[in-house]
Amino acid sequence: MLKPFCLLLVGLLASPAAHAPIFQLELGDFDLKLVTTPIRSMAQGLVKPSAVGSFHGGLDLSHDSGLYVGQYAPSMGLTPGKNLEIDSYVGFKQPFDQTLGYEVGMIHYSYPKVDTLDSQELFGGLTLLGSRIGIALSNDPDKQNNTLFADLGGNQPFGIGISMKYTTHQLNTPVSVDGGYVSSFTDWSVKLSRPFMGIDLDLIYSNSSLSGSDCSAYSGHNSQCDGLVTLKAERPFF
């Protein structure tokens, strides 16, 4: 069932543009950025969504060779009810030619102030004419996840960016529900993005293979088990 339409207004850390680095500094062969959104082509599609109304940002250090490392906090835990999360990543990115390239790496998800086990994710993919297609394999404390994702940012009709994600979840221990058990499920999302008068607007549809009482077994990356349409507006402070 499709849940009611939601309007979410999210405040970001100060930056000159909602999807731009705050600071950038060149240190010889290294490039250091302080960012409010994950800038890595593959990592950007994989970091877990930030909580609504949370402060978020991170650091990214890259080398001319294609090697990069960074940390990104989807939630810094500065507001009531929000926990600190730190996503640390390392990867390598290289072009084959002017139109095609590849990227591989790993992300480590940690929650320093919560009694929750850390998790890891391996990812890799191709960049073609500005569009990105990739796959990720992750190991959460309670399940195994396989994710396919695509960001068609290089082909934006009417200035609209399109990104999609599809994930299968295999539970380590089946969950009892009315009428049986749930041992696996899938979820997916489609996002349309467009800047408007200094505000980044995202229209997101998400859903999963579970419904009704089976949703008690849901623990995916989307915000809801049932279908949900969300309008998300992000605006820098200045």
Side-chain angles (χ1 to χ4, degrees), residues 60-173:
D60 182 274
L61 180 66
S62 59
H63 188 264
D64 289 346
S65 65
L67 180 67
Y68 62 83
V69 296
Q71 283 191 329
Y72 180 77
S75 174
M76 293 185 178
L78 300 179
T79 54
K82 307 295 189 300
N83 296 315
L84 173 64
E85 176 185 341
I86 298 177
D87 300 343
S88 305
Y89 56 85
V90 59
F92 185 78
K93 180 180 180 181
Q94 277 289 345
F96 290 116
D97 53 36
Q98 294 182 346
T99 60
L100 180 64
Y102 72 94
E103 184 173 353
V104 294
M106 179 180 69
I107 303 177
H108 178 84
Y109 303 100
S110 62
Y111 310 87
K113 296 184 178 180
V114 181
D115 188 19
T116 300
L117 294 177
D118 296 350
S119 59
Q120 295 77 36
E121 190 158 41
L122 298 175
F123 63 87
L126 297 174
T127 301
L128 176 63
L129 296 175
S131 297
R132 301 181 284 266
I133 300 175
I135 186 171
L137 309 175
S138 64
N139 181 19
D140 286 346
D142 59 342
K143 61 183 178 298
Q144 313 293 318
N145 311 303
N146 301 319
T147 301
L148 293 172
F149 60 95
D151 182 353
L152 307 181
N155 303 293
Q156 299 183 5
F158 310 107
I160 299 175
I162 304 173
S163 60
M164 297 166 283
K165 186 186 299 184
Y166 181 90
T167 305
T168 61
H169 306 272
Q170 183 68 42
L171 301 178
N172 295 339
T173 302

